[in-house]
Amino acid sequence: MPLLKSWVASANDANHPFPLNNLPYGVFSVEGDDPRCGVAIGDMILDMQAAEEAGLVQLADAPLFDVPYWNDLMEEGPAVWAALRDRLTALLSEGAAEQDKVEPLLVPAADAELHMPFAVSEYTDFYAGKNHAFNVGTMFRGPENALPPNWLHIPIGYNGRASSVVVSGTDVRRPWGQLKGPNDDGPRWAPCARFDIELEMGAIVGTPSDGPITVQEADDNIFGYVLLNDWSARDIQAWEYQPLGPFQAKATANTISPWIVTKPALEPFRCDTPEREVELLDHLKDCGPMLYDIDLEVTLAPEGKAATTIARTNYKEMYYSAAQQLAHHTTSGCPMNAGDLLGSGTISGPVKESRGSLLELSWGGKEPLTLDSGEERSFIADGDTLTLKGAAKGDGYTIGFGDCTGTVLPALEDPYAR
């Protein structure tokens, strides 16, 4: 599919992340006004509440855009999702008959503050990137036992905290926790010293389900995707995760990009999951291309200094797709809700420069990274800003998500000191 031309001139730039082919959904405010739903087009944002009130968008009997989140639209289902995309395309295409009515409803993105684009119902994080799982397993168990016995059969995951999900630009506070090093007699109470990121994609469930669904049904139920940074306290995790897995180490924050990129925008970039080493059971088998060719990168900027790109990889490196993760999630009969968020797990490629976490990039701290500033990092320092970026390159256009950024603040003074 080539670039679709818009009367919003900036949307026709081949390198702009928000062309007419994209039309991502977010929530914005201007000059202290209440947050409201918006659609990004070039360097402008279409005010969806105003468009609905003006009668330019009519999708349901009741208003869908008088609230500061996209969940109400999600609950209307795929037919309404498609109708909205068709209507937005018609309104914003070059030569649109209603351009004069739409133009006053556009807000410069530079003047807008972005907010959480949807209300997160539940949050689940997976461990579904093989390169990452192999690297981490090798560090702790050696290459011969790197992958757990179940890893090639099911997408492993854990239930996280929806309350921990924040939008890009939100500062992240270094957590305290129980730490126990290999030479410690017992645990001690201290700020995390091995704070890390995980480069992930987040899939947003749009259509609820109340029982097991197939991989194809799961794919149909996904509303869209965001970038996701799963901030991880590695030293807290090392002490607490046995036998039940991550808990406080993963509860500090999960940062998402501010724009939901819908599945139709990503259709041209579908690709297959990697070749299977072990045949999956029927209910998890691939039923077509379910991954996406999306270039990803991570930058790290020390306080007051320029950013260094520390990793580049691609979403197609995942071993399990979001549809397989969602289908697996439902196998027990677990109900899924509109607004559920599924983290992909860390997306790492096969070479060092494509590893999606500092744990891997520094190989557990044994091989520190040298930044462009000359400083070294094994893990994140206070004041560092980490940014995730993602883009799919089409025929004369780019599909972007907006940056997924967070700055790490120093730990609070001991909250239990008296």
Side-chain angles (χ1 to χ4, degrees):
M1 176 188 293
L3 172 69
L4 301 176
K5 289 294 187 73
S6 172
W7 53 263
V8 180
S10 57
N12 299 326
D13 182 336
N15 295 312
H16 201 291
F18 305 135
L20 188 60
N21 303 63
N22 192 349
L23 299 177
Y25 303 152
V27 171
F28 75 101
S29 63
V30 178
E31 297 180 349
D33 289 345
D34 291 337
R36 54 182 57 204
C37 292
V39 176
I41 178 69
D43 55 12
M44 307 296 285
I45 300 173
L46 174 60
D47 185 333
M48 288 302 297
Q49 182 175 333
E52 188 174 55
E53 291 172 349
L56 291 169
V57 176
Q58 295 284 325
L59 299 170
D61 294 335
L64 295 177
F65 302 112
D66 60 345
V67 289
Y69 43 77
W70 285 82
N71 300 58
D72 285 7
L73 177 73
M74 295 181 204
E75 293 173 357
E76 292 294 318
V80 175
W81 307 347
L84 174 60
R85 185 172 180 84
D86 289 345
R87 181 59 177 154
L88 291 171
T89 302
L91 291 172
L92 295 166
S93 290
E94 191 174 62
E98 294 169 290
Q99 176 179 341
D100 60 332
K101 297 179 182 178
V102 177
E103 203 158 5
L105 309 182
L106 295 178
V107 174
D111 297 340
E113 178 183 357
L114 300 179
H115 304 273
M116 278 289 294
F118 68 106
V120 180
S121 298
E122 306 281 354
Y123 170 59
T124 304
D125 192 37
F126 284 88
Y127 185 58
K130 187 184 174 195
N131 292 313
H132 172 71
F134 184 82
N135 288 337
V136 174
T138 297
M139 280 183 232
F140 294 104
R141 295 183 296 276
E144 65 282 354
N145 296 307
L147 296 179
N150 60 353
W151 201 94
L152 294 173
H153 298 272
I154 56 172
I156 298 171
Y158 68 94
N159 289 308
R161 295 284 301 171
S163 61
S164 72
V165 182
V166 297
V167 73
S168 176
T170 304
D171 291 337
V172 175
R173 181 75 66 177
R174 182 180 299 274
W176 285 75
Q178 281 198 21
L179 316 178
K180 184 183 181 300
N183 299 319
D184 295 335
D185 293 332
R188 55 193 172 86
W189 173 246
C192 169
R194 293 162 69 91
F195 204 41
D196 198 0
I197 57 109
E198 291 189 344
L199 168 60
E200 304 192 23
M201 294 289 296
I204 302 164
V205 176
T207 304
S209 57
D210 60 3
I213 59 176
T214 67
V215 173
Q216 183 59 62
E217 288 169 335
D219 188 62
D220 294 339
N221 286 5
I222 294 173
F223 181 68
Y225 290 82
V226 291
L227 304 177
L228 189 152
N229 180 357
D230 174 19
W231 301 89
S232 301
R234 300 298 186 188
D235 40 7
I236 296 173
Q237 184 176 355
W239 170 239
E240 74 173 4
Y241 84 103
Q242 298 187 60
L244 294 182
F247 186 47
Q248 294 300 86
K250 298 282 194 172
T252 299
N254 293 275
T255 303
I256 63 170
S257 51
W259 296 102
I260 301 170
V261 175
T262 61
K263 278 196 309 176
L266 295 172
E267 279 300 313
F269 309 100
R270 279 192 182 264
C271 59
D272 292 319
T273 48
E275 184 177 350
R276 300 291 168 199
E277 296 183 30
V278 177
E279 187 174 5
L280 297 175
L281 297 182
D282 287 345
H283 70 284
L284 283 178
K285 283 185 178 177
D286 300 278
C287 56
M290 292 290 174
L291 281 179
Y292 300 96
D293 182 358
I294 302 171
D295 291 325
L296 302 166
E297 68 174 84
V298 182
T299 68
L300 188 158
E303 186 173 8
K305 297 181 181 177
T308 299
T309 298
I310 60 173
R312 287 190 175 92
T313 186
N314 192 289
Y315 185 39
K316 65 185 178 183
E317 294 289 347
M318 295 304 298
Y319 193 80
Y320 295 100
S321 67
Q324 288 169 314
Q325 292 169 352
L326 177 54
H328 177 61
H329 209 322
T330 70
T331 54
S332 66
C334 172
M336 303 301 293
N337 305 310
D340 281 353
L341 176 64
L342 308 183
S344 63
T346 307
I347 307 167
S348 294
V351 297
K352 182 174 182 178
E353 295 77 15
S354 63
R355 296 172 183 169
S357 68
L358 284 161
L359 176 67
E360 297 168 85
L361 287 165
S362 72
W363 207 249
K366 296 177 182 177
E367 303 172 9
L369 288 74
T370 301
L371 306 178
D372 293 346
S373 65
E375 300 171 69
E376 289 190 342
R377 289 290 186 277
S378 294
F379 293 94
I380 301 169
D382 291 345
D384 286 351
T385 297
L386 279 296
T387 300
L388 278 51
K389 301 173 182 285
K393 294 289 187 177
D395 180 7
Y397 66 94
T398 301
I399 300 293
F401 295 77
D403 290 351
C404 179
T405 297
T407 299
V408 175
L409 303 180
L412 296 169
E413 294 185 12
D414 187 347
Y416 298 110
R418 296 292 187 269

